[in-house]
């Protein structure tokens, strides 16, 4: 089965911050999980390099837009392995192969009769690279997203896309597929855009040169969003040398996006695809914002324009990559907005990763080492513990099928806590002192090894480095979900102890 997941492509007018890492990690969790299910996975991320904001920043720095894009795209490229994101390809929209494919698709939209020339006048936010409708304009003609940014009154002769002609088909899409946008609140919001009535949108810019040339009118470049959205489709044609992956992976299974770019993905994108006779993606998943919580408890959106950015590199240097991945999806329920702070970061690291999970792992490995010479006993798993693990894999799969990333983690973590209680209940160190307790000790140690293995296989998408280390130490490196069932690995495996997985902070 094919599974194709995408992140938004990141603007190169600034350096990456935790908000960008967040979307990429979410997509990575889904991609890794589906690989564990044995599916044919393709995971795309990349950079959005054209448009007004990039041209403006480059001009201010006295360099060409391409130089700026090269420099900043490198930062996003470097971020991905640093946060352990296992993307299969990284698209850059300045890639000539992307540009050629954009021209091809847009030409088709033109030839299908969905484009006309007209005069555009409107309020334009240079930071959003978007014209604003009445309801999106703040006091004094400012941008509601980039608070305080003055909107410009723009007039120009442009090519227009007949978005209004797709209103009926979009309504049908939303009526027939209520799960097309998740969660439900975002579906309702998207539907309200459509129900508010759709106006045609300007598709090209004549003032700008940093973009993809309009093939039927080379004095214009495409408005950046048309070029950017198409990345999800174009990349498949050239991501693998000599192989076009479009038939294998299109339509995409999931587009993952932040709530700020809902309108483009929920309205423009399906209409563009309809206009080009291309199948629609199966689903779009919309997440909320990570907000920075300051000492007073107040929360603000983390953004480059507000300058209150938590640097993912600094966080990882201090806590490790897995801790960052874990924290983001544990602290903030995926889909909702939620506050993050270095304080709660430290608390979760200490109490959950170091104490609950790290200690469970060290104790289990140490006891198997000490009491059974590093061999998992050949014993049945404990019948009292088994029922608590019985449906775990199915629960996690069902939740991740709905991209309930935080809920799935919670279910796994309930089992980590169950295993800690189990150690206390069985007190293997007591049985170890009594020769008559050998059978019970075998059962306890095998059950702990199996419990730890099962939760760790399921935690792999969240904590890839830790899972690899720990499964290796348990002598069972296999990641496939098929073999992850509690009790599925036979006894007899060789274990070894490992240094603290989440060392206490100095
Ligand atoms: N280039 C466009 C997307 C084009 S997709 C065809 C863009 N880029 S962005 O770099 O500004 O944002 C990329 C993603 O990062 C968005 O989904 C956005 O929501 C997400 N985040 C940026 N800051 C964020 C937080 N503070 N919290 C969570 N995600 C946020 O938009």
């Amino acid at each position: 089965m094919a599974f194709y997941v995408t992140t938004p492509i990141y603007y190169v007018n600034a350096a990456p911050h935790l908000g960008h890492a967040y979307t990429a990690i979410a997509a990575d969790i889904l991609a890794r999980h589906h690989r564990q299910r044995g599916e044919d996975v393709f995971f795309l991320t990349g950079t959005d390099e054209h448009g007004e904001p990039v041209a403006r920043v480059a001009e201010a720095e006295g360099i060409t837009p391409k130089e700026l894009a090269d420099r900043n795209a490198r930062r996003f490229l470097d971020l991905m392995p640093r946060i352990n994101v296992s993307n299969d390809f990284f698209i850059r929209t300045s890639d000539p192969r992307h540009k050629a494919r954009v021209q091809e698709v847009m030409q088709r939209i033109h030839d299908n009769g969905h484009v006309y020339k007209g005069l555009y006048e409107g309020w334009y936010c240079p930071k959003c690279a978007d014209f604003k409708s009445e309801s999106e304009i703040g006091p004094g003609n400012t941008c509601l997203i980039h608070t305080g940014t003055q909107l410009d009154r723009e007039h120009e002769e442009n090519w227009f896309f007949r978005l209004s002609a797709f209103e009926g088909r979009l309504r049908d899409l939303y009526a027939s597929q209520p799960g097309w946008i998740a969660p439900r609140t975002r579906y309702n919001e998207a539907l309200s855009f459509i129900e508010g009535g759709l106006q045609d949108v300007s598709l090209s810019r004549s003032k700008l040169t940093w973009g993809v040339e309009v093939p039927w009118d080379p004095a214009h470049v495409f408005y950046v969003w048309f070029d950017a959205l198409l990345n999800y489709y174009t990349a498949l044609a050239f991501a693998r040398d000599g192989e076009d992956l479009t038939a294998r992976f299109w339509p995409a299974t999931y587009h993952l996006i932040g709530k700020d770019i809902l309108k483009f993905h929920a309205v423009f994108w399906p209409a563009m695809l309809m206009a080009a006779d291309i199948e629609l993606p199966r689903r779009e998943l919309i997440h909320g914002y990570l907000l920075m919580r300051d000492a007073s408890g107040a929360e603000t959106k983390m953004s480059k324009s507000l300058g209150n950015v938590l640097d993912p590199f600094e966080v990882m240097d201090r806590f490790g990559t897995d801790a960052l991945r874990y924290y983001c999806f544990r602290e903030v329920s995926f889909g909702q907005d939620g506050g993050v702070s270095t304080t709660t970061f430290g608390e979760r690291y200490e109490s959950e990763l170091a104490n609950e999970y790290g200690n469970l792992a060290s104790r289990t490995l140490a006891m198997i080492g000490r009491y059974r010479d590093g061999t998992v006993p050949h014993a049945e798993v404990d019948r009292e513990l088994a029922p608590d693990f019985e449906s775990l894999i199915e629960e996690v799969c069902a939740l991740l099928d709905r991209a309930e990333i935080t809920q799935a983690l919670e279910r796994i973590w309930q089992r980590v806590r169950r295993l800690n209680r189990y150690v206390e209940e069985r007190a293997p160190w007591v049985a170890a002192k009594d020769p008559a307790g050998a059978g019970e000790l075998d059962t306890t140690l095998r059950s702990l090894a199996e419990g730890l293995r099962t939760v760790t296989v399921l935690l792999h998408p969240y904590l890839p480095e830790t899972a690899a280390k720990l499964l290796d130490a348990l002598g069972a490196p296999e990641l496939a979900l098929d073999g992850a069932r509690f009790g599925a690995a036979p006894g007899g495996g060789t274990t070894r102890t490992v240094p603290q997985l989440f060392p206490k902070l100095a």
Side-chain angles (χ1 to χ4, degrees), residues 327-402:
Y327 171 77
C328 290
F329 293 92
R330 185 87 172 129
E331 182 70 16
V332 179
S333 184
F334 188 67
Q336 313 290 313
D337 289 349
V340 294
S341 70
T342 43
T343 314
T344 55
F345 216 110
E347 284 164 8
R348 286 213 186 258
Y349 177 89
E350 195 89 9
S351 69
E352 296 178 359
L353 290 174
N355 292 343
E356 292 178 336
Y357 186 51
N359 278 353
L360 174 72
S362 352
R363 285 171 108 183
T364 302
L365 292 167
M367 288 191 289
I368 298 174
R370 189 172 327 130
Y371 303 138
R372 292 294 179 262
D373 287 330
T375 303
V376 178
H378 285 286
E380 292 289 312
V381 285
D382 199 320
R383 287 206 193 128
E384 272 184 44
L385 189 61
D388 292 332
F389 282 80
E390 209 166 75
S391 60
L392 176 60
I393 297 177
E394 286 73 19
E395 283 170 38
V396 169
C397 287
L399 287 165
L400 288 181
D401 276 343
R402 302 198 301 272

Side-chain angles (χ1 to χ4, degrees), residues 16-22 24-25 28 75-85 310-328 342 345-346 349 353 462-465 469 501-503 505:
H17 62 69
L18 190 59
H20 305 124
Y22 183 64
I25 296 169
D28 189 56
R75 295 189 184 156
F76 283 96
L77 254 166
D78 290 346
L79 174 73
M80 300 307 164
R82 224 9 247 294
I83 53 178
N84 239 320
V85 158
L310 188 65
D311 182 349
F313 293 100
E314 269 173 37
V315 169
M316 286 185 292
D317 285 345
R318 184 150 173 237
F319 295 89
T321 307
D322 280 356
L324 175 81
R325 295 172 62 108
Y326 173 83
Y327 171 77
C328 290
T342 43
F345 216 110
Y349 177 89
L353 290 174
Y462 300 86
L463 306 172
E465 261 176 53
K469 265 193 250 170
L501 295 171
F502 297 97
L505 298 169

Side-chain angles (χ1 to χ4, degrees), residues 7-11 17-20 22-23 48 76 225 228-232 256-261 265 287-291 301-304:
T7 74
I9 47 172
Y10 304 102
Y11 283 134
H17 62 69
L18 190 59
H20 305 124
Y22 183 64
T23 321
D48 184 355
F76 283 96
W225 271 98
L229 285 162
L230 274 166
N231 91 88
Y232 302 133
L256 241 71
I257 60 161
K259 63 177 188 179
D260 50 336
I261 50 178
H265 284 81
H287 66 73
Y289 287 150
L290 291 185
L291 307 166
K301 185 192 173 210
M302 205 188 310
S303 81
K304 53 205 173 209

Side-chain angles (χ1 to χ4, degrees), residues 343-483:
T343 314
T344 55
F345 216 110
E347 284 164 8
R348 286 213 186 258
Y349 177 89
E350 195 89 9
S351 69
E352 296 178 359
L353 290 174
N355 292 343
E356 292 178 336
Y357 186 51
N359 278 353
L360 174 72
S362 352
R363 285 171 108 183
T364 302
L365 292 167
M367 288 191 289
I368 298 174
R370 189 172 327 130
Y371 303 138
R372 292 294 179 262
D373 287 330
T375 303
V376 178
H378 285 286
E380 292 289 312
V381 285
D382 199 320
R383 287 206 193 128
E384 272 184 44
L385 189 61
D388 292 332
F389 282 80
E390 209 166 75
S391 60
L392 176 60
I393 297 177
E394 286 73 19
E395 283 170 38
V396 169
C397 287
L399 287 165
L400 288 181
D401 276 343
R402 302 198 301 272
E404 307 253 18
I405 295 178
T406 305
Q407 281 302 321
L409 179 56
E410 169 58 22
R411 297 296 172 89
I412 306 169
W413 215 258
Q414 284 168 3
R415 274 44 170 224
V416 170
R417 290 182 170 153
R418 176 70 189 95
L419 289 170
N420 277 306
R421 286 199 308 276
Y422 181 71
V423 179
E424 296 306 320
E425 283 161 20
R426 289 290 184 268
W429 46 91
V430 175
K433 288 191 193 125
D434 174 6
E440 183 191 319
L441 183 59
D442 281 347
T443 302
T444 305
L445 295 180
R446 165 103 204 285
S447 304
L448 281 175
E450 273 302 273
L452 192 57
R453 187 182 69 85
T454 302
V455 293
T456 304
V457 171
L458 289 169
L459 284 172
H460 153 80
Y462 300 86
L463 306 172
E465 261 176 53
T466 308
K469 265 193 250 170
L470 185 49
L471 290 173
D472 196 52
L474 282 165
E478 195 47 56
L479 286 175
L481 285 191
D482 269 353

Side-chain angles (χ1 to χ4, degrees), residues 112-431:
N112 284 347
H114 303 303
V115 166
Y116 63 93
K117 201 167 200 177
L119 188 70
Y120 194 86
E121 184 179 351
W123 291 104
Y124 179 84
C125 170
K127 291 195 177 154
C128 296
D130 188 18
F131 282 99
K132 300 287 161 185
S133 62
E134 286 305 318
S135 62
E136 295 168 318
I137 300 174
N141 296 318
T142 53
C143 177
L144 286 178
I145 295 177
H146 299 95
T147 322
T149 298
Q150 195 62 48
L151 301 178
D152 300 331
R153 190 77 188 162
E154 295 255 0
H155 308 256
E156 65 176 31
E157 194 163 59
N158 271 339
W159 289 96
F160 279 73
F161 173 55
R162 280 186 214 281
L163 182 63
S164 58
F166 291 89
E167 208 175 297
R169 285 180 68 185
L170 288 170
R171 280 174 189 268
D172 291 347
L173 165 71
Y174 278 76
S176 64
Q177 293 189 49
W180 197 69
I181 301 266
R184 192 68 189 187
T185 44
R186 300 295 167 208
Y187 167 92
N188 291 335
E189 194 180 328
L191 191 58
S192 71
F193 292 139
I194 298 162
E195 285 173 344
L198 295 177
Q199 286 163 12
D200 293 346
V201 287
S202 150
L203 171 148
S204 69
R205 295 284 177 270
S206 62
K207 289 190 188 126
L208 194 70
T209 51
W210 179 235
V212 179
E213 255 179 32
V214 174
W216 62 88
D217 184 356
H220 288 239
V221 296
F222 286 112
Y223 168 44
V224 64
W225 271 98
F226 284 86
D227 142 28
L229 285 162
L230 274 166
N231 91 88
Y232 302 133
Y233 180 73
T234 66
L236 293 175
F238 58 87
R240 290 284 168 274
D241 276 341
E243 193 188 353
D244 187 330
L245 300 176
T246 313
R248 188 161 141 203
F249 290 108
W250 193 262
T253 318
Y254 283 141
H255 290 320
L256 241 71
I257 60 161
K259 63 177 188 179
D260 50 336
I261 50 178
L262 179 64
K263 188 179 77 183
F264 298 101
H265 284 81
V267 181
F268 285 27
W269 181 224
M272 276 170 75
L273 290 169
M274 287 168 182
D277 300 318
I278 298 173
E279 230 185 306
L280 304 188
R282 301 222 183 282
R283 237 176 153 200
E284 297 189 355
L285 301 171
I286 324 301
H287 66 73
Y289 287 150
L290 291 185
L291 307 166
M292 288 296 293
R293 207 181 288 141
D294 65 19
S296 71
E299 290 179 345
T300 43
K301 185 192 173 210
M302 205 188 310
S303 81
K304 53 205 173 209
S305 32
L306 291 173
N308 60 348
V309 168
L310 188 65
D311 182 349
F313 293 100
E314 269 173 37
V315 169
M316 286 185 292
D317 285 345
R318 184 150 173 237
F319 295 89
T321 307
D322 280 356
L324 175 81
R325 295 172 62 108
Y326 173 83
Y327 171 77
C328 290
F329 293 92
R330 185 87 172 129
E331 182 70 16
V332 179
S333 184
F334 188 67
Q336 313 290 313
D337 289 349
V340 294
S341 70
T342 43
T343 314
T344 55
F345 216 110
E347 284 164 8
R348 286 213 186 258
Y349 177 89
E350 195 89 9
S351 69
E352 296 178 359
L353 290 174
N355 292 343
E356 292 178 336
Y357 186 51
N359 278 353
L360 174 72
S362 352
R363 285 171 108 183
T364 302
L365 292 167
M367 288 191 289
I368 298 174
R370 189 172 327 130
Y371 303 138
R372 292 294 179 262
D373 287 330
T375 303
V376 178
H378 285 286
E380 292 289 312
V381 285
D382 199 320
R383 287 206 193 128
E384 272 184 44
L385 189 61
D388 292 332
F389 282 80
E390 209 166 75
S391 60
L392 176 60
I393 297 177
E394 286 73 19
E395 283 170 38
V396 169
C397 287
L399 287 165
L400 288 181
D401 276 343
R402 302 198 301 272
E404 307 253 18
I405 295 178
T406 305
Q407 281 302 321
L409 179 56
E410 169 58 22
R411 297 296 172 89
I412 306 169
W413 215 258
Q414 284 168 3
R415 274 44 170 224
V416 170
R417 290 182 170 153
R418 176 70 189 95
L419 289 170
N420 277 306
R421 286 199 308 276
Y422 181 71
V423 179
E424 296 306 320
E425 283 161 20
R426 289 290 184 268
W429 46 91
V430 175

Side-chain angles (χ1 to χ4, degrees), residues 31-49:
R32 286 179 186 272
H33 170 78
H34 282 272
R35 288 192 198 106
Q36 289 185 287
R37 283 159 81 157
E39 294 172 14
D40 186 20
V41 171
F42 194 78
F43 168 17
L44 181 72
T45 189
T47 41
D48 184 355
E49 305 191 0

